[in-house]
Amino acid sequence: MPDLRVLVVEDDPVAAEAHRTYVDRLPGFTCVGVAGTAGRALQVLARGGLDLVLLDMNLPDGHGLDIVRRMRALGNQTDVVAVTSAREVAAVQAAARIGVVQYVLKPFAFETLRDRLTAYARQRRAAALGEVVADQDEVDRLLHPATVSSVPKGLAGGVLDRVVQLLGNREGWTAEEVATSLGTSRITARRYLEHLADQGQALRTQRYDGRSGRPKVEYSWVAES
């Protein structure tokens, strides 16, 4: 199959660039454009030729779900993955009702988006090959896809997402503070923080508290606004 062509719709320039970079790192996907407003997104969609939209919900000139409704009304069946900080149950349910295929909460680790887009690509490939389902269990998996985590060995996807959430909620965390919040050891917390830093998603700085002794390493989230 040719690469899936992806449009990123995100009004924050830092987050938009992060999402574009994430897409281009994935084999089988190519980001072909970035739109910062609902109006611009609809203009790009009207040209056709897209396979998938990574869509933020809160845009300066409209809501993401309104974009999807407008697309469908015009007969545009391009798939949509919501990439958003909107946590309201009503928003999640509304997205599902109008055919949003995945719902990813910000902030997130690269692995989170990778796993979901990989699962999406598998479904696209199966459909293109004309595969058929074997039983009800397979139907259920198609309707409610469960992603297989591909986070690095020794790290747990759920814990990694919790660390990302902490970094996104406040600027500047030490390994000790993350460990206390998660109920893990400092060494465990540091492994997750170092992984995010190595991936370019967290920034390492030095924290000086004015006391004698060595400064502490502090981690801040940089991939999302």
Side-chain angles (χ1 to χ4, degrees):
M1 287 179 60
D3 281 1
L4 297 175
R5 296 165 56 85
V6 182
L7 171 67
V8 170
V9 182
E10 168 62 61
D11 66 311
D12 182 84
V14 174
E17 177 62 19
H19 298 167
R20 183 195 65 76
T21 301
Y22 289 175
V23 170
D24 285 338
R25 286 172 63 183
L26 287 169
F29 291 86
T30 299
C31 181
V32 297
V34 176
T37 65
R40 177 59 180 163
L42 289 168
Q43 289 177 354
V44 177
L45 283 161
R47 300 173 187 166
L50 295 171
D51 298 295
L52 181 66
V53 181
L54 295 190
L55 179 64
D56 189 19
M57 291 292 104
N58 299 310
L59 297 165
D61 59 339
H63 196 276
L65 293 183
D66 291 333
I67 295 178
V68 183
R69 294 185 184 100
R70 180 74 180 275
M71 289 168 55
R72 301 304 186 235
L74 294 173
N76 188 325
Q77 299 302 313
T78 302
D79 288 330
V80 176
V81 170
V83 179
T84 177
S85 57
R87 296 170 177 270
E88 299 84 2
V89 172
V92 177
Q93 291 178 329
R97 281 196 295 270
I98 58 177
V100 172
V101 297
Q102 295 272 4
Y103 199 100
V104 182
L105 287 175
K106 297 194 291 186
F108 53 84
F110 166 68
E111 290 86 355
T112 299
L113 185 64
R114 177 180 63 191
D115 291 346
R116 281 151 181 77
L117 292 191
T118 299
Y120 165 78
R122 283 198 299 266
Q123 285 196 7
R124 285 282 299 245
R125 190 176 302 110
L129 293 173
E131 295 183 6
V132 298
V133 295
D135 50 32
Q136 183 63 49
D137 287 342
E138 193 167 350
V139 171
D140 293 340
R141 285 194 295 271
L142 286 171
L143 294 178
H144 307 285
T147 58
V148 177
S149 177
S150 56
V151 298
K153 185 177 180 180
L155 302 182
V159 177
L160 184 61
D161 283 342
R162 289 171 64 196
V163 173
V164 169
Q165 291 293 330
L166 288 178
L167 295 185
N169 288 336
R170 191 192 81 196
E171 185 171 349
W173 289 80
T174 65
E176 291 85 353
E177 291 167 342
V178 170
T180 298
S181 181
L182 295 182
T184 65
S185 70
R186 182 186 63 82
I187 293 175
T188 296
R190 187 171 184 274
R191 285 170 52 215
Y192 286 89
L193 291 165
E194 283 294 311
H195 168 71
L196 292 171
D198 290 343
Q199 291 290 310
Q201 295 183 266
L203 177 68
R204 302 181 188 92
T205 56
Q206 300 290 318
R207 179 191 293 183
Y208 296 90
D209 58 10
R211 304 171 187 171
S212 59
R214 299 174 60 184
K216 296 181 178 180
V217 178
E218 187 175 78
Y219 301 83
S220 298
W221 184 249
V222 297
E224 295 283 351
S225 63

